[in-house]
Amino acid sequence: MRRAARVAFVLSGLLMWSEAGLGQVLGPRDQPEKRAIAAPETAEAVLRAVESPYLSEDERSRLRVFHGLWTESDLAVPRLRAKAALMTGVLDDRSLNDPSADAEDRAEAALARGEPERTIGLLQGRESARSARLRAEALEMLGATDDAKAAVSPVVKLLRGKPATSAEDLVEGVRAIGVMARLEGRPGSNYQNMMQLLVQAQQSVDRLYWPALLAQAELLYEKDNRKEAHEAAIETLTLNPACARAWRLVALIAVDGFSFDQAEQVSRALNGLVSRLDPDSGRTSADGDLVMARASMRQNDAIGAQELVRRTLTRYPTMREALALEAATEALLFEYEAADGMLAELDALSPNNAFGPLEVGKALSEARQYEKAAEYLEQAATRQPKWAEPVIELGLMEMQSGRDLRALSALRRAVELDPFNTRAANSLKLVEELSRYETVESEHFVVRHPGGVFRVMAEEMVEPLEEIHRIVAGAIEHEPSVKTTIELLPDHQTFAVRITGMTGIHTIAASTGSVIAMEAPMEGKLHEGEYDWVRVVRHEYVHTVTLSRTNNRIPHWFTEAAAVYLENCPRDYETCRMLVASLMNQAGRHLFDMQEININFVRPKHPSDRGQAYAQGHWMYTFMVERWGASAPLRLMDLYSIGIREDQAMQQVLGVTQESFLAEFREWAERDAATWGLLPEVSLGRLLLDETMADPEARRKVVDSLSAFALGTAFSSSGLHGGRKYRVSLIEPRGEVIDRMLGRAPDHPDVLELKLEEELAARGGDADAEMIPLLERYAAARPVDPMPHRHLARLYLASGAGEAAVPHLEYLDAREQKSAAYAVELARRYAAEGEFRLALQKAERATQIAPFDAGNREVAAAVAIKAGDLAAAERHIAALTEIEPQHDAHRQRLKRIREMRAGN
């Protein structure tokens, strides 16, 4: 039923997001300025039709406007300008009040502005299908549902009895069926019938009638079939690049998929439509503003969303969508009385409406305010019981909150109302599957799993989980009131459906409150790969505990900072470099202030800003603990839980303003960063200048290079002081210069790294034994760089000095998140030295990162036997019988180990 769109651009995949804290990528800051996304290439058939020689000039003008290709002279005609204004969403354009404009266009604009009485008045005496549909929607907006059904019923009956012959009547008939379905509830066959009629309108009656494609896109989106909805919206734009509703749909799909940068680009395109219609107005698109308000709400930026919504309400004070979103923003700020007051005002305009409570409930559900969300979603479902959307949202919310019986009931009802809704169908299938999952229970956790080979991991998770609880609950000084459910899901697609109801989410674990869903750490096409699940779940459990302690009221940066802090793992080198560059205002970076850090979690201006927000938040949290003690963050959490704003809370607990906190943090951060070997007392530039005192030409080149670095153009991946290779290469002989600097500053980390680079280049990139002293010196001078440790571990292992390799392997293993290689090698090293307990610890870590790797299990079982831990050996051999059931040897070994245990 869909055909591929001819487009000139491709919207990229979903925005990668992660609640798991697995590290953020350091990206360049010198990104090109964000621009509006380009429109698809207009279909050649449209261009040919507009240029047809048989058209009169009036016909050509009408056709140009219909396809969004108007000229300035076309807009001089009020009737045509009104069509262009309605098409682009400029609902307050002067032409839409001009009596010469089509009454139905004026009525539709009035309805979109939230003026249903005016719509009904303008349609007085009109009997077209479009008039009947608009009249019904206006009556529905006024709460007169019976009158709305009566208004639209003749169109629906006529369409069923005698199919319409024009494309417009077919589309309007389908829209009328949609109104009736919302008011009455309809069987699934209605959806198929509606799609068939729309395809007939566009394929058989008029291939260039873009409203048929738009209606298809909107219907598909209503069914949460976002892929095909996106295709249909893009194809609509090939027939009419000025269709604001199609652009809006593309932006909404981007927001749904967390592709906020793409949504912003489309919002700019919508603003461009407004400028094209009225170049001097300086106004923005209401469609674009409301889409970006939804994006801000999804990113927990209620204040930013509120500003956008209120800008729309200044122009359209009774627009229902904007009024409902304004109430939702108040609820997100925990101003429930204000939100209820706004909903009451909305009720006065649209009695007993469901869309207001629905918007508030959806927003609160995403903010994990599940109890309050349930109140509003149940109210919406009660008010309009035949409308599937509130019931779908209620079911998804109950699923996220872990109340599976309620979720099952709601989702079954939702699928009865709308069997073609993808999210509802996916989620119902998953909830029914989850109801059949096996469980493993401990004091603070319930682990749910699909059985089979996953039982192996689930049973092993209990002990590490209780250790995670001991660490996190002890640090936060709080225990959630209910056990936390850990859902071990078999593949990435199942995980994505669990989190959002849709496939296509790029992360591996997420906390929704009392439920932590995680994908099994496995290799293969259906999986995201192996990972250190203990670290990931510890991060997520911090969210569970802090959200519980604060009633889900906690600044974004603060909950992420606490989670990364309690991962209790060293920073990686790229993070250290990024932080120092920000601290020293290098490469276009700066430390975020307290407003910027929250904004950059949700609206990053540059690709690496979100990564810096994670890293800087962790750094600030560490400073807070060191400066004011471990109780300081907890006292802040208690104030956040009762709604105290961040600046006020800091003054009460820390005794400083946010500005003073940042000033003190900066001083502390410089001292901390100095221990990383990234802030030497004498800079490399200073050393270079000193070396070239006697050579004016060389000195000039160094000064030019340093100036380039100061402008951020020399920042490279070679280290914080990127561009130093370039600077030194200007000076000949290079090696002699480096040696002289090393003689003057033998422990200078930058000079040591330069010397290493020289030596490695001379050896084709492979270090040899002669370089060991130099590598050790550099490792001591810059303890955050893993490079020398990789070389040293390899060299010591190759030389047979395994004991000397151990500290370097430990260094690397502490920072490794996705590979068990270092842990396995350490297990072997410790076993070779007779340190069987240490060997078993590392073998266990290897099986946590890669629990379904048979080789790791073999190592762990062998080490456990040597360590005298037959219970651990039995566990790993039993795991092998599940991982490789085809190998009878595993069952024989399991029998023997059980006999050995029985004999003891």
Side-chain angles (χ1 to χ4, degrees):
M1 297 170 70
R2 303 260 10 95
R3 60 188 178 88
R6 296 171 60 251
V7 299
F9 75 100
V10 177
L11 292 178
S12 61
L14 295 176
L15 176 70
M16 186 171 291
W17 67 286
S18 174
E19 293 288 333
L22 289 180
Q24 304 292 324
V25 175
L26 172 62
R29 290 295 295 262
D30 53 343
Q31 296 292 311
E33 186 175 345
K34 292 179 180 178
R35 295 174 294 176
I37 201 162
E41 182 181 352
T42 303
E44 292 179 9
V46 169
L47 299 177
R48 287 197 302 268
V50 168
E51 296 301 323
S52 295
Y54 59 81
L55 293 175
S56 69
E57 281 308 308
D58 285 347
E59 290 171 333
R60 198 181 314 280
S61 291
R62 288 197 299 272
L63 197 58
R64 279 197 299 260
V65 170
F66 177 75
H67 287 291
L69 302 174
W70 62 78
T71 63
E72 187 174 346
S73 61
D74 295 333
L75 298 183
V77 181
R79 183 183 182 88
L80 296 182
R81 183 183 178 92
K83 291 185 180 299
L86 180 62
M87 182 188 302
T88 55
V90 185
L91 305 174
D92 52 356
D93 188 77
R94 63 184 182 277
S95 62
L96 288 167
N97 285 317
D98 193 304
S100 64
D102 191 309
E104 289 180 331
D105 289 340
R106 287 183 283 147
E108 187 153 350
L111 185 65
R113 291 193 302 265
E115 301 167 8
E117 297 92 342
R118 178 170 171 75
T119 297
I120 292 169
L122 286 166
L123 297 174
Q124 194 72 31
R126 295 180 177 272
E127 301 300 331
S128 71
R130 184 184 180 193
S131 291
R133 188 262 302 173
L134 288 170
R135 188 179 295 111
E137 290 180 345
L139 290 165
E140 181 187 7
M141 188 178 288
L142 291 168
T145 54
D146 289 341
D147 291 341
K149 285 188 281 189
V152 82
S153 182
V155 178
V156 175
K157 288 180 180 177
L158 182 63
L159 192 63
R160 287 174 179 162
K162 183 182 179 182
T165 55
S166 75
E168 179 180 358
D169 284 347
L170 281 168
V171 170
E172 288 299 337
V174 167
R175 293 194 181 280
I177 293 172
V179 174
M180 189 68 82
R182 189 166 57 247
L183 296 174
E184 283 191 341
R186 291 291 184 181
S189 59
N190 260 7
Y191 167 70
Q192 295 174 319
N193 184 40
M194 292 163 75
M195 287 300 294
Q196 287 169 356
L197 291 170
L198 291 173
V199 170
Q200 178 187 342
Q202 198 267 326
Q203 295 285 336
S204 302
V205 180
D206 186 349
R207 286 183 171 272
L208 302 185
Y209 191 69
W210 58 263
L213 281 169
L214 176 64
Q216 287 182 55
E218 291 174 337
L219 182 57
L220 288 162
Y221 183 73
E222 179 187 319
K223 305 304 178 187
D224 282 312
N225 187 340
R226 293 170 190 158
K227 180 179 181 296
E228 293 193 26
H230 181 268
E231 292 173 359
I234 295 299
E235 194 169 357
T236 302
L237 292 169
T238 67
L239 302 182
N240 179 2
C243 177
R245 284 168 64 172
W247 280 115
R248 177 179 182 273
L249 197 57
V250 171
L252 286 173
I253 292 168
V255 171
D256 292 342
F258 298 92
S259 297
F260 302 119
D261 287 345
Q262 292 176 7
E264 189 172 355
Q265 290 176 8
V266 178
S267 175
R268 287 190 174 91
L270 284 161
N271 290 337
L273 295 181
V274 176
S275 298
R276 184 174 163 222
L277 183 78
D278 195 350
D280 300 323
S281 70
R283 292 178 296 185
T284 58
S285 162
D287 286 312
D289 284 348
L290 294 183
V291 165
M292 291 313 298
R294 291 182 183 278
S296 295
M297 289 166 64
R298 291 214 80 181
Q299 298 169 95
N300 201 31
D301 181 13
I303 292 176
Q306 203 166 68
E307 292 172 358
L308 291 164
V309 168
R310 287 177 177 169
R311 184 160 74 188
T312 299
L313 287 171
T314 300
R315 292 171 61 187
Y316 309 122
T318 56
M319 181 179 278
R320 300 307 197 263
E321 180 186 3
L323 290 169
L325 288 176
E326 185 182 32
T329 63
E330 287 292 337
L332 287 177
L333 293 168
F334 308 110
E335 301 291 348
Y336 295 123
E337 288 187 14
D340 288 340
M342 290 175 177
L343 289 178
E345 292 174 4
L346 188 56
D347 264 345
L349 293 171
S350 294
N352 205 42
N353 74 85
F355 53 82
L358 173 63
E359 291 290 2
V360 174
K362 285 167 60 177
L364 289 174
S365 174
E366 189 134 310
R368 300 169 179 166
Q369 300 291 320
Y370 297 126
E371 293 296 335
K372 292 295 290 186
E375 292 178 20
Y376 290 103
L377 292 174
E378 286 169 356
Q379 183 183 44
T382 300
R383 286 183 168 194
Q384 203 159 338
K386 302 296 185 180
W387 188 20
E389 187 174 355
V391 187
I392 291 170
E393 293 296 337
L394 179 62
L396 293 172
M397 184 278 298
E398 296 290 9
M399 188 177 174
Q400 300 306 321
S401 70
R403 298 183 293 206
D404 288 349
L405 290 178
R406 294 186 185 184
L408 192 61
S409 174
L411 288 170
R412 282 175 174 165
R413 172 63 178 150
V415 171
E416 286 177 8
L417 288 170
D418 190 352
F420 289 93
N421 186 280
T422 306
R423 273 198 309 162
N426 286 345
S427 298
L428 176 60
K429 180 182 177 182
L430 180 56
V431 171
E432 289 176 338
E433 287 179 6
L434 289 173
S435 69
R436 296 188 290 270
Y437 270 26
E438 300 175 17
T439 60
V440 180
E441 194 160 350
S442 66
E443 183 179 357
H444 299 100
F445 297 92
V446 177
V447 182
R448 304 172 71 181
H449 62 92
V453 71
F454 300 101
R455 187 182 301 109
V456 171
M457 180 176 174
E459 292 175 347
E460 290 182 333
M461 290 177 72
V462 171
E463 186 175 337
L465 284 172
E466 287 299 329
E467 178 62 10
I468 287 171
H469 172 81
R470 185 191 66 78
I471 294 169
V472 174
I476 305 299
E477 297 182 5
H478 177 81
E479 287 196 12
S481 59
V482 297
K483 289 185 179 184
T484 300
T485 298
I486 309 292
E487 292 181 347
L488 178 60
L489 302 170
D491 52 52
H492 186 65
Q493 180 170 312
T494 305
F495 168 76
V497 172
R498 179 66 182 86
I499 297 304
T500 67
M502 298 293 290
T503 59
I505 290 297
H506 299 281
T507 187
I508 50 178
S511 167
T512 59
S514 61
V515 176
I516 296 173
M518 60 178 287
E519 177 184 337
M522 302 180 79
E523 296 294 332
K525 293 181 179 179
L526 301 179
H527 308 279
E528 291 291 288
E530 295 163 347
Y531 62 92
D532 183 354
W533 74 261
V534 173
R535 179 175 177 177
V536 169
V537 171
R538 186 160 61 233
H539 181 107
E540 297 303 329
Y541 190 58
V542 175
H543 289 319
T544 295
V545 177
T546 56
L547 291 170
S548 174
R549 177 164 179 151
T550 63
N551 298 316
N552 292 347
R553 302 177 182 185
I554 185 170
H556 197 149
W557 82 266
F558 201 66
T559 186
E560 294 296 348
V564 178
Y565 179 81
L566 287 172
E567 286 179 23
N568 197 29
C569 295
R571 293 180 184 87
D572 63 47
Y573 185 40
E574 295 304 309
T575 297
C576 292
R577 291 177 55 236
M578 175 174 60
L579 288 173
V580 175
S582 302
L583 179 66
M584 305 308 293
N585 298 319
Q586 292 174 334
R589 294 184 177 278
H590 68 280
L591 285 178
F592 298 142
D593 62 29
M594 302 307 292
Q595 284 71 44
E596 286 176 315
I597 193 168
N598 274 314
I599 290 171
N600 281 308
F601 270 108
V602 297
R603 289 201 308 251
K605 294 180 180 178
H606 303 278
S608 60
D609 282 354
R610 185 176 286 110
Q612 182 182 328
Y614 272 95
Q616 183 182 324
H618 173 208
W619 213 12
M620 293 194 302
Y621 195 98
T622 304
F623 163 64
M624 188 183 295
V625 171
E626 291 194 13
R627 170 69 172 79
W628 286 279
S631 67
L634 310 184
R635 286 179 281 144
L636 284 172
M637 290 180 196
D638 290 338
L639 293 181
Y640 297 147
S641 73
I642 57 175
I644 302 297
R645 299 293 185 206
E646 189 170 8
D647 190 38
Q648 184 182 349
M650 277 192 165
Q651 292 183 54
Q652 288 187 36
V653 172
L654 309 181
V656 297
T657 63
Q658 290 182 327
E659 292 76 14
S660 297
F661 173 84
L662 281 171
E664 290 190 38
F665 165 69
R666 178 181 288 276
E667 293 180 6
W668 173 89
E670 288 189 17
R671 295 192 299 273
D672 192 42
T675 67
W676 304 345
L678 290 173
L679 281 179
E681 291 185 15
V682 180
S683 71
L684 180 64
R686 181 72 261 170
L687 289 174
L688 282 167
L689 287 170
D690 290 346
E691 280 299 317
T692 56
M693 287 293 289
D695 186 342
E697 179 61 19
R699 185 177 176 85
R700 182 189 64 77
K701 291 179 179 179
V702 170
V703 170
D704 290 345
S705 182
L706 289 170
S707 298
F709 174 63
L711 292 172
T713 59
F715 189 64
S716 78
S717 61
S718 62
L720 171 69
H721 302 287
R724 59 175 171 266
K725 291 180 181 178
Y726 167 65
R727 291 199 293 271
V728 178
S729 69
L730 294 173
I731 307 166
E732 297 296 346
R734 173 186 166 105
E736 291 181 13
V737 173
I738 294 172
D739 287 341
R740 287 200 301 270
M741 288 193 296
L742 200 57
R744 293 176 53 213
D747 297 320
H748 195 290
D750 290 328
V751 182
L752 285 166
E753 187 179 11
L754 284 170
K755 183 64 175 176
L756 273 175
E757 291 168 352
E758 285 285 293
E759 297 294 334
L760 286 169
R763 293 164 171 79
D766 293 326
D768 59 25
E770 291 182 5
M771 292 182 62
I772 287 176
L774 182 59
L775 287 163
E776 294 280 14
R777 286 169 63 191
Y778 177 63
R782 181 166 287 157
V784 295
D785 189 346
M787 179 268 289
H789 299 278
R790 286 194 289 267
H791 285 299
L792 287 165
R794 181 182 60 80
L795 288 169
Y796 284 132
L797 289 172
S799 68
E803 184 176 351
V806 165
H808 302 289
L809 291 169
E810 286 282 12
Y811 177 100
L812 296 166
D813 186 47
R815 289 155 178 79
E816 183 54 58
Q817 301 178 45
K818 294 188 176 181
S819 171
Y822 294 126
V824 170
E825 186 59 38
L826 280 164
R828 293 192 176 111
R829 288 300 102 204
Y830 284 129
E833 296 167 16
E835 297 283 355
F836 296 119
R837 282 292 159 189
L838 291 174
L840 185 55
Q841 288 176 15
K842 288 300 174 179
E844 293 286 0
R845 170 165 161 74
T847 60
Q848 287 175 353
I849 295 174
F852 305 102
D853 185 293
N856 291 349
R857 294 288 180 174
E858 294 276 9
V859 171
V863 169
I865 290 172
K866 291 180 180 179
D869 192 338
L870 297 183
E874 179 182 349
R875 174 165 51 82
H876 291 298
I877 295 171
L880 282 166
T881 65
E882 295 285 351
I883 295 167
E884 295 182 331
Q886 71 276 20
H887 294 315
D888 191 56
H890 296 323
R891 285 182 286 278
Q892 294 175 12
R893 293 167 64 198
L894 181 60
K895 180 181 178 181
R896 287 198 298 272
I897 200 74
R898 286 174 174 169
E899 289 171 352
M900 290 170 64
R901 291 191 69 193
N904 290 341

